[in-house]
């Protein structure tokens, strides 16, 4: 139990210097603000901040980077829940149940559930990271091109879970995502595809402008439409914290979400968005509680938010032990480590620098506690956003969407992408085409294709590699289970509600 | 590459089809699903045209054309299925459902498009003040001067926040520089 | 489509930003003796947080003191660098107030039709960094020397897989250079960068990877990987135990480098001012520390050497590119 004494030592360092605690608090708040704004990501804030860590004490600099990272992912849930606009791709699954909760006057509960779940996910992943990092990192190395392919295919089966009323329309949305994912330079053979000579499309159509379009712009257009008719504003219930009952019934979901997120995070090359969607679809499979998923079930929020913050902790595992950053955020963090002369590797946990590493872990744990404290406090303030009238909200949403999509890469082409997909999203949403599958298709399509072809290159065309490796087999089994589940629930639906096909117009919203 | 000049990107026909649907009918229950089917078929055709020039895969990998062809086939199948589903479904009562394309939505889309096109020409501040002002009115603001005042303030705050704090090089006209962007 | 907007954007930016120093017509021809008089924009053609970005930010922070003006780093990523560099090449005044960090790609990606600009569209100022390619394998791989690796590759052509960062990009071409010098055939496998490639080598699906030595430095230090050869004339100071290809009898000298450049047609006086400041800066510890900690090799080269150095590198890359096609 040397690890725990090391960790305690880390806490000792942390609590003996109040400025460190203050720095983490400031970083969490900054991260949450950045995460809540579509287009600004935690990665961007970390990269901007990185040069300043050159000048700081290593512990302070790295604690701040961790705080921004964790806060950014948690902050993305705030606009997702209140406005149906995810602040970061990580929260794209949160709005599936978070926004319906807001429509039902339960915004305060949804927000506090999101913060609570984020903190739980972060803490579970932090503990796993401090205790088992080297073991998990070894295990995650079994995850290679064949597994990435099968994981992506499994992820695509989630479309059925988020499709809503019509499976066909869900798959069509997913297909649009796949087509969009083809555009650009093919990463295996270097072939330009579907660019039609436009240099702006060489790099492909990136996720975040599409995400801002189909959720943000679409939502603003839906709100404009509402204001032509009679509007009923969602009320805010008296409750500002999630009920003990909901917490109790979500405990299983929270634990599963945290574990799924940590696992996904430990595999370099996945990300917070994939972790959240996997956890959400897993939670859906065990329906519990009175409210169905997709109509404001607090467990949907718990599943997504616990998983996406757990991915953050999990992604530190390969970064610290193997020097392999899983995605952009951890790549910046790795830069921060290297700048302070910390070489990733197993020695990091035992060598002369280990006290610093455990201070970093302790700061990550403290950052997650801060998310719970500051987040629920801020939630009391944020819920009032739903009282703000449309004539104020619509301009603000549009403004942040347009600026946000420009700010990702500082280019106007991304703004056009956002507008085009916003209009497409509006027509989809008003005709019961869900937009989440489009996002899933865009995330997972390129991942599936690239890894399929990469594996085929290595094996010289021998496709048996997809069925002979143990980790792939596990995912094939999950795919089969998932398809059986889709088939069964589709049959049930057909038996249950042949008459109930019409829906009320105000149920219209991006899902 | 001769046949693809008029087709645009997969995203573009979307807008074209939508707008086309917009001027004739006010978005009847069947127009949009059928438009979506056309969009899918368009994507399938675009892929079919585009893959003709692709190189072959090296060393046993299926090459850059394989997956797009599969996706194009799925698009075609889905389009046909969607057409059948839409035509088979019993027509909705229709009259009571609110229009999908009221004038306000069309005007908002126009404002967004205009903002995108004008941003580089007249700078951030004027463009976005205009967009926010228009969007406020379209979303039901009753007094135009509060809407305008709000638009000016929020645009300025956003400009300072993104331009200064996050060093985003927003397209600037002299007025933006004057206001500190 | 896009090129129409970039000039407009740049023109707007310049119009507003340069209102006070409008020299009219021949940008840079004015020969301002008190250059620089206002902040300098440093364009990174890659995303925030990447290698070039980290280096540029470290550079900007140190160079500010030597120029007496702030340097604002701006990321303009997209299309493998074509967006950010394209803007510099086509739509930026060569007045010294907009600079970028260039790497070998600007010399050869126009060959493949990915860029509509080339080396001639830039004024090179100072080279700051050079990282040779390294052939790295897992620590328990059956080869201890490049010789043994070559023997196995000859026995079964194409059986050994080598990871790179993308077809036709620098590390793919480095693999081609290795193949050519040893007369072997390898299977090139593209990955999304060094991290993914490292994951594949450590996980055992990929036999080797050809990347910059800096990218595998942490794994080599940790004893997870070993390097069969670096593509440099002499051994690296930082890794004295790592052999070069040259000393093993194979003529492979290739790698990547990064330097500061501006648009073509800059005033030589301004170039000299900038070059002096950058060279001075590169000798200081603050910059050197950041470079070292990120495993970036420092190689400073002044303007007059940088140009022929880049041209040689371009010729090599273009040659390899034509060969691999």
């Amino acid at each position: 139990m040397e690890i725990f004494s090391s960790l305690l030592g880390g806490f000792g360092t942390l609590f003996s210097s109040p400025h460190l605690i203050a720095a983490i608090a400031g970083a969490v708040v900054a991260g949450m603000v950045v995460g809540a704004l579509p287009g600004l990501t935690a990665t961007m804030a970390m990269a901007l901040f990185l040069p300043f860590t050159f000048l700081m004490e290593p512990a302070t600099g790295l604690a701040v980077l961790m705080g921004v990272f964790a806060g950014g992912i948690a902050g993305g849930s705030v606009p997702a829940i209140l406005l149906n606009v995810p602040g970061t791709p990580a929260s794209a699954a949160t709005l599936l149940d978070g926004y319906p909760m807001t429509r039902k006057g339960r915004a305060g509960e949804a927000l506090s559930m999101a913060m609570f779940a984020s903190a739980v996910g972060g803490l579970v992943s932090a503990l796993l990271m401090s205790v088992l990092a080297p073991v998990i990192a070894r295990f995650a190395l079994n995850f290679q091109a064949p597994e990435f392919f099968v994981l992506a295919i499994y992820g695509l089966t989630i479309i059925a879970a988020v499709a809503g009323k019509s499976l066909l329309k869900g798959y069509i949305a997913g297909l649009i995502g796949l087509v969009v994912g083809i555009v650009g330079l093919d990463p295996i053979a270097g072939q330009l595809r579907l660019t039609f000579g436009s240099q702006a499309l060489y790099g492909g159509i990136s996720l975040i402008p599409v995400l801002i379009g189909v959720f943000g712009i679409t939502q603003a257009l839906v709100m404009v439409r509402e204001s032509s008719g009679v509007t009923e504003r969602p009320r805010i219930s008296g409750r500002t914290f999630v009920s003990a009952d909901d917490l109790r019934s979500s405990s299983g979901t929270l634990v599963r979400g945290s574990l799924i997120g940590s696992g996904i995070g430990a595999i370099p090359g996945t990300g917070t968005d994939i972790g959240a969607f996997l956890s959400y679809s897993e939670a859906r499979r065990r329906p519990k509680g009175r409210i169905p998923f997709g109509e404001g079930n607090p467990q949907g929020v718990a599943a997504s938010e616990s998983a996406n913050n757990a991915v953050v902790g999990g992604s530190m595992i390969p970064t610290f032990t193997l020097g392999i950053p899983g995605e952009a955020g951890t790549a910046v963090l790795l830069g921060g480590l290297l700048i302070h002369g910390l070489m990733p590797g197993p020695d990091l946990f035992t060598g002369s620098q280990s006290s610093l590493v455990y201070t970093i872990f302790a700061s990550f744990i403290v950052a997650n506690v801060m998310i719970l404290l500051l987040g629920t406090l801020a939630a009391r303030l944020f819920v009032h956003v739903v009282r703000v009238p449309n004539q104020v909200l619509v301009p603000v949403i549009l403004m942040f969407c347009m600026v946000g999509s420009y700010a990702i890469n500082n280019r106007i082409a991304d703004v056009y992408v956002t507008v085009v997909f916003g209009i497409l999203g509006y027509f989809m949403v008003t005709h019961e085409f869900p937009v989440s599958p489009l996002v899933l298709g865009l995330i997972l399509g390129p991942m599936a294709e690239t890894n399929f072809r990469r594996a085929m290159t290595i094996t010289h065309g021998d496709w048996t590699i997809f069925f002979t490796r143990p980790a792939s087999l596990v995912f094939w089994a999950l795919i089969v289970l998932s398809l059986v589940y889709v088939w069964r629930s589709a049959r049930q639906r057909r038996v249950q509600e042949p008459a109930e096909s019409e829906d009320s117009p105000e149920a219209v919203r991006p899902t | 590459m001769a046949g693809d000049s008029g087709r645009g990107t997969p995203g573009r026909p979307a807008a074209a089809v939508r707008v086309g649907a917009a001027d004739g009918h006010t978005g009847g229950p069947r127009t949009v699903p059928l438009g979506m089917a056309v969009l899918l078929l368009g994507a399938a055709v675009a892929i079919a045209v585009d893959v003709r020039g692709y190189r072959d895969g090296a060393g046993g990998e299926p090459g850059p054309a394989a997956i797009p062809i599969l996706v194009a086939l799925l698009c075609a199948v889905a389009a046909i299925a969607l057409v059948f589903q839409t035509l088979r479904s019993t027509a909705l009562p229709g009259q009571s459902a609110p229009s999908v394309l009221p004038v306000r939505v069309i005007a908002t889309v126009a404002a967004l498009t205009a903002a995108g096109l004008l941003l580089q020409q007249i700078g951030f501040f004027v463009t976005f003040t205009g967009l926010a002002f228009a969007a406020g009115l379209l979303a039901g603001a009753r007094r135009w001067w509060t809407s305008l005042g709000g638009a000016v303030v929020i645009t300025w705050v956003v400009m300072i926040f993104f331009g200064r704090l996050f060093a985003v090089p927003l397209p600037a006209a002299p007025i933006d520089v004057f206001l500190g962007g | 489509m896009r090129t129409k907007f970039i000039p407009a954007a740049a023109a707007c930016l310049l119009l507003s930003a340069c209102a006070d120093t409008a020299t009219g017509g021949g940008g840079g021809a004015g020969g301002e003796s008190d250059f620089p008089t206002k902040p300098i924009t440093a364009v990174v053609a890659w995303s925030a947080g990447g290698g070039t970005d980290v280096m540029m930010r470290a550079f900007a922070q140190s160079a500010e003191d030597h120029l007496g003006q702030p340097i604002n780093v701006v990321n303009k990523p997209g299309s493998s660098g074509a967006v950010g560099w394209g803007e510099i090449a086509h739509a930026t005044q060569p007045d010294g107030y907009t600079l970028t960090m260039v790497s070998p790609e600007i010399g050869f990606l126009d060959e493949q039709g990915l860029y509509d600009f080339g080396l001639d569209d830039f004024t090179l100022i100072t080279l700051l960094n050079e990282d040779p390619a390294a052939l790295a394998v897992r620590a328990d791989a059956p080869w201890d020397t490049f010789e043994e690796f070559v023997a196995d590759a000859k026995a079964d052509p194409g059986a050994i897989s080598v990871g790179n960062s993308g077809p036709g990009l620098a590390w793919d071409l480095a693999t081609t250079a290795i193949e050519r010098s040893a007369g072997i055939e390898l299977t090139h496998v593209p990955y999304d960068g060094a991290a993914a490639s490292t994951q594949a080598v450590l996980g055992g699906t990929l036999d080797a990877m050809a990347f910059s030595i800096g990218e595998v430095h942490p794994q080599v230090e940790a004893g997870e990987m070993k390097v069969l050869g670096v593509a440099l004339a002499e051994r690296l100071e930082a890794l004295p135990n790592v052999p070069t290809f040259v000393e093993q009898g194979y003529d492979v000298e290739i790698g990547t480098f990064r330097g500061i450049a501006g648009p073509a047609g800059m005033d030589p006086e301004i170039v000299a001012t900038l070059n002096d400041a950058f060279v001075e800066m590169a000798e200081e510890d603050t910059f050197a520390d950041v470079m070292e900690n990120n495993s970036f090799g420092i190689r400073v080269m002044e303007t007059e050497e940088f140009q022929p150095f880049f041209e040689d590198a371009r010729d090599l890359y273009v040659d390899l590119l034509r060969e691999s096609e």
Side-chain angles (χ1 to χ4, degrees), chain A residues 180-181 183-184 200-201 203-207 209-210 411 414 417 421 442, chain B residues 9-11:
Chain A
V180 173
V183 177
L201 290 173
I205 295 176
S206 33
L207 171 65
V210 172
R411 56 186 203 149
D414 287 335
V417 169
F421 278 90
L442 181 53
Chain B
T9 69

Side-chain angles (χ1 to χ4, degrees), chain C residues 7 27 65 68-69 76 86-87 91 113 123 159 202-203 210 227 289 292 312 324:
Chain C
D65 301 339
Q69 286 290 342
K76 301 227 164 179
E87 192 172 315
T123 304
L202 293 183
V227 175
D289 282 350
E292 204 173 289
D312 287 349
S324 65

